[in-house]
Amino acid sequence: MVTIRDVARASGVHVSTVSRTFSAPHLVNEKTRQAVLAVAAQLGYRPNRAARALTTGRTHNLGLIVADIANPFFPPLIKAAQGHARERDYHVFVADTDEDPVLEQELIETLSKQVDGVLLCSPRLSNQTIHRLRAEVPLVIVNRRVKGLTTVLMDVGQGARAAIDHLVGLGHRRIALLTGPPGSWTSGEIRQAATDRAAEAGVPLTVVGPNEPTEQGGLAAADKIAGHSAVLCYNDLVALGLIEGLVERGLSVPGDVSVIGIDDSLPGRLNRPKLTTITMPTAAAGRMAVDLLLAAVGAGEHAPHTTVRLETSLVIRESTQRASEP
Amino acid sequence: MVTIRDVARASGVHVSTVSRTFSAPHLVNEKTRQAVLAVAAQLGYRPNRAARALTTGRTHNLGLIVADIANPFFPPLIKAAQGHARERDYHVFVADTDEDPVLEQELIETLSKQVDGVLLCSPRLSNQTIHRLRAEVPLVIVNRRVKGLTTVLMDVGQGARAAIDHLVGLGHRRIALLTGPPGSWTSGEIRQAATDRAAEAGVPLTVVGPNEPTEQGGLAAADKIAGHSAVLCYNDLVALGLIEGLVERGLSVPGDVSVIGIDDSLPGRLNRPKLTTITMPTAAAGRMAVDLLLAAVGAGEHAPHTTVRLETSLVIRESTQRASEP
DNA sequence: GTGAAAGCGCTAACAG
DNA sequence: CTGTTAGCGCTTTCAC
């Protein structure tokens, strides 16, 4: 391994000069700098970030913790966050908690020494624990509201209202909502927004749930929404599962039942009929979270916290249509 | 931040004793050990892995580099590799190259100091460059054959042969193969295996390609496979795009055309008809790659290299059926 | 079984 | 502008 010392020796300057050429170039004579750079390049020298971190206290690493990497909701967020971080010269550790709060906490703690901050996506931890961890390492939360912490939210309520309006506008009067898991912040938001809007429109809304946030969840719900002409689902996977269940029962979508998903994930776009859904700005959320985290890192311990609420919107595709006359 | 020094002070022993309690417990008196552990727990001490790495040369970190995190092929692999690494007390950096070889190389180089090894999935780098990088950091390649390096391959040829057999067995005689991008190792394997097997069976096989490895690629290919009753596609996305194109043209799947994908990805399982496809053992590949990488790390510089070939198999679902009598 | 001392690769005052 | 010195948090000989 070629170190700063090798470069110093080979270019006839002191190690500190080499160090400065890389971490404070303006402090070193242009000519010396060029010389050192040349030698470094020739030797294939790369600063050791871990060693640097030891003195500076900045690792230039970020942690990104998600509940389930394989859930199609997350990859676009991970991709965007990682790319954005990279452009800012940050590497990112990605870890999957398997929905296990204990593991989640363990990960944050072991990671904390090695990163400048952690992005927590849809955390399963209690607010109290999150606050405690915040004292050890800067945290930004995505997809859940935690008082007193910097948070990036996707305003799914907005999309949910648009979804209800869309359905009501199409003449639907028997609308069901399939909710998600009990602890889900998103699910609560959707429910709230959808019921409020339905009430405003004077249309009843049947809330059915909780449901597993998977295609199985949707499939299992097919029996529970009998008699409804339109269904808003917790996510695309649930919607897709529901459609499958409906088709199995000889019902057609959108002919007999209109179905709306949430997330705008790849499987939904690929479905036939193409799924009408609420787009979640996952990529933007990932980038925004990185920006906020980096800002918090710079600001130190008691930086002011922010809540950013990103817009969502309804994408009308093929799984919804005008209600058939009763 | 609580360091080894704080623990030493608080428990009245020397730092080296504290160090030993964590990194070589058998070298310290049971009683002392317990005492130190208690104090450490009470203080919330966590060893700083980065600092440890400075002396030991082992970071306990791994790098995982993929072409595109959002491609549904990768998340299961990432999830499995990360989980497996975690169980072995390793953290993993995940990075996305956006299919850019320059970025890929840059990532490996900047990561190299911070990890004990790197997992390269479907690399776009030249063999020569990969070999050069191998000198800097242990590497394991997934999904591409690189002579002289440890490699984990998924034997798609096996699945492709089974796919051709399946189609021939169903009476198909006009079979097309949609290949992938020119540089793809997988695509070459599929083509080889499929053409060989078709020849053995005395059935002609039309090779169509290269195609973009996306649904657009499949969609665009719909016109090019006219006159064929069955198509084997480079991946599930291509298959799904093709099906969409076929349906747009008034053809039914599998009624008029049987379609087989490759990967066994979520969108394929969710499709109607459910996609007949070749399962790729991505999770197993991720775990295996981690094992091999860790072994290489232990063995040092010139460890022997291995090639592991994982089995694939055909999963028959609903997108294939008996050829209609001509 | 435990302490003392040196050092991993690098940065950060402080002189000069 | 550059060299000297000290030290980040930890491990690892080497003594005792």
Side-chain angles (χ1 to χ4, degrees):
Chain A
M1 172 183 280
V2 32
T3 82
I4 206 176
R5 203 119 46 208
D6 301 318
V7 179
R9 198 172 309 125
S11 47
V13 297
H14 194 93
V15 290
S16 50
T17 303
V18 179
S19 171
R20 280 189 281 257
T21 19
F22 287 96
S23 44
H26 59 282
L27 289 182
V28 41
N29 181 302
E30 175 63 16
K31 244 172 122 175
T32 327
R33 205 173 63 80
Q34 292 300 348
V36 171
L37 248 26
V39 173
Q42 198 255 316
L43 259 47
Y45 168 75
R46 292 250 167 197
N48 182 328
R49 291 161 157 243
R52 176 180 288 178
L54 212 48
T55 37
T56 61
R58 288 274 171 283
T59 61
H60 264 244
N61 292 152
L62 256 30
L64 172 53
I65 298 186
V66 302
D68 178 11
I69 296 174
N71 178 328
F73 176 77
F74 290 113
L77 191 156
I78 298 173
K79 183 181 171 86
Q82 189 273 324
H84 202 63
R86 219 216 70 77
E87 286 170 7
R88 282 148 190 75
D89 203 25
Y90 270 77
H91 290 316
V92 6
F93 284 108
V94 175
D96 181 308
T97 67
D98 258 322
E99 316 261 353
D100 176 0
V102 177
L103 183 50
E104 187 173 353
Q105 175 171 357
E106 169 73 15
L107 280 168
I108 298 172
E109 288 180 339
T110 58
L111 234 31
S112 70
K113 291 286 200 312
Q114 249 177 128
V115 301
D116 294 339
V118 175
L119 241 64
L120 269 186
C121 301
S122 316
R124 303 306 195 238
L125 252 24
S126 71
N127 278 10
Q128 189 193 339
T129 309
I130 293 180
H131 267 106
R132 201 169 51 58
L133 291 167
R134 171 64 186 87
E136 292 183 32
V137 59
L139 250 35
V140 166
I141 317 294
V142 177
N143 223 7
R144 176 165 138 200
R145 165 131 225 154
V146 181
K147 268 223 181 83
L149 283 195
T150 295
T151 307
V152 177
L153 265 21
M154 300 179 230
D155 191 357
V156 62
Q158 190 177 9
R161 283 187 292 274
I164 296 297
D165 287 348
H166 171 57
L167 258 17
V168 170
L170 287 173
H172 291 279
R173 293 293 176 271
R174 293 161 295 131
I175 306 178
L177 167 68
L178 294 185
T179 59
S184 162
W185 176 84
T186 305
S187 187
E189 289 284 299
I190 296 165
R191 177 183 186 147
Q192 180 81 51
T195 48
D196 286 359
R197 191 56 145 227
E200 285 171 31
V203 171
L205 179 79
T206 314
V207 177
V208 178
N211 299 280
E212 286 285 308
T214 60
E215 65 252 61
Q216 283 79 19
L219 195 59
D223 281 328
K224 308 181 196 159
I225 56 99
H228 295 267
S229 73
V231 186
L232 172 59
C233 302
Y234 173 66
N235 67 19
D236 284 356
L237 255 25
V238 169
L240 262 16
L242 174 65
I243 293 178
E244 190 182 341
L246 260 16
V247 170
E248 279 177 5
R249 285 161 183 70
L251 262 20
S252 97
V253 175
D256 299 308
V257 184
S258 284
V259 175
I260 301 184
I262 297 182
D263 281 355
D264 191 13
S265 62
L266 184 61
R269 286 196 292 275
L270 256 25
N271 192 63
R272 251 160 304 100
K274 293 198 184 80
L275 200 62
T276 293
T277 188
I278 298 171
T279 47
M280 296 286 258
T282 45
R287 285 188 295 266
M288 178 65 76
V290 167
D291 284 340
L292 292 172
L293 189 50
L294 258 24
V297 169
E301 180 74 15
H302 287 296
H305 52 267
T306 342
T307 295
V308 174
R309 202 173 270 268
L310 267 17
E311 301 203 340
T312 68
S313 63
L314 184 69
V315 190
I316 299 171
R317 293 207 267 247
E318 306 167 351
S319 65
T320 47
Q321 74 173 33
R322 179 151 288 284
S324 48
E325 308 299 329
Chain B
M1 171 182 283
V2 31
T3 80
I4 206 176
R5 203 117 48 206
D6 301 317
V7 179
R9 199 173 309 127
S11 47
V13 296
H14 194 93
V15 288
S16 47
T17 303
V18 178
S19 172
R20 281 188 279 256
T21 21
F22 287 96
S23 42
H26 57 280
L27 290 182
V28 40
N29 181 302
E30 175 64 15
K31 245 173 123 175
T32 326
R33 205 172 62 80
Q34 292 300 347
V36 171
L37 247 26
V39 173
Q42 199 256 315
L43 258 47
Y45 167 75
R46 292 250 167 196
N48 182 326
R49 289 160 157 244
R52 176 180 287 179
L54 212 47
T55 38
T56 61
R58 288 272 172 282
T59 61
H60 263 246
N61 291 153
L62 258 28
L64 172 53
I65 298 186
V66 302
D68 178 11
I69 296 174
N71 178 329
F73 176 77
F74 289 112
L77 192 156
I78 298 173
K79 184 181 171 86
Q82 189 273 324
H84 202 64
R86 218 215 70 76
E87 286 170 7
R88 281 149 191 73
D89 203 25
Y90 269 76
H91 289 318
V92 7
F93 284 109
V94 175
D96 180 308
T97 67
D98 259 323
E99 317 261 353
D100 175 0
V102 177
L103 183 51
E104 187 173 352
Q105 176 171 357
E106 170 73 15
L107 281 167
I108 298 172
E109 287 179 339
T110 58
L111 233 32
S112 68
K113 290 286 200 311
Q114 249 178 126
V115 300
D116 294 339
V118 175
L119 240 64
L120 270 185
C121 301
S122 315
R124 302 307 195 238
L125 253 23
S126 71
N127 278 10
Q128 189 192 340
T129 308
I130 292 180
H131 267 106
R132 201 168 53 56
L133 291 167
R134 171 63 186 90
E136 292 182 32
V137 59
L139 249 36
V140 166
I141 317 294
V142 177
N143 221 8
R144 176 165 138 200
R145 165 131 224 155
V146 180
K147 268 223 183 81
L149 283 195
T150 295
T151 307
V152 177
L153 265 20
M154 301 180 229
D155 192 359
V156 284
Q158 191 177 8
R161 282 188 293 273
I164 296 297
D165 287 348
H166 172 57
L167 259 16
V168 171
L170 288 173
H172 292 279
R173 293 294 175 272
R174 292 162 296 129
I175 306 178
L177 167 69
L178 294 185
T179 60
S184 162
W185 176 85
T186 305
S187 187
E189 289 284 299
I190 297 165
R191 177 183 186 146
Q192 180 81 51
T195 48
D196 286 359
R197 191 55 146 227
E200 286 169 30
V203 171
L205 179 79
T206 314
V207 177
V208 178
N211 299 281
E212 285 286 307
T214 60
E215 65 253 60
Q216 283 79 20
L219 196 58
D223 281 328
K224 307 180 196 157
I225 56 100
H228 295 267
S229 71
V231 187
L232 172 59
C233 301
Y234 172 66
N235 68 19
D236 284 355
L237 255 26
V238 170
L240 261 18
L242 174 66
I243 293 177
E244 189 182 341
L246 258 18
V247 169
E248 279 177 4
R249 284 161 183 73
L251 264 19
S252 97
V253 175
D256 299 308
V257 183
S258 285
V259 174
I260 301 184
I262 297 182
D263 280 357
D264 191 13
S265 63
L266 184 61
R269 286 195 292 274
L270 256 24
N271 192 64
R272 252 160 304 102
K274 295 200 184 79
L275 200 61
T276 292
T277 189
I278 298 171
T279 46
M280 297 286 258
T282 44
R287 285 188 294 267
M288 177 65 77
V290 167
D291 284 340
L292 292 172
L293 189 51
L294 258 25
V297 168
E301 180 76 14
H302 286 296
H305 52 267
T306 343
T307 295
V308 174
R309 200 173 270 268
L310 265 20
E311 301 202 341
T312 68
S313 62
L314 184 69
V315 189
I316 299 171
R317 292 208 268 247
E318 306 167 351
S319 65
T320 46
Q321 73 173 34
R322 178 151 289 281
S324 47
E325 309 299 328

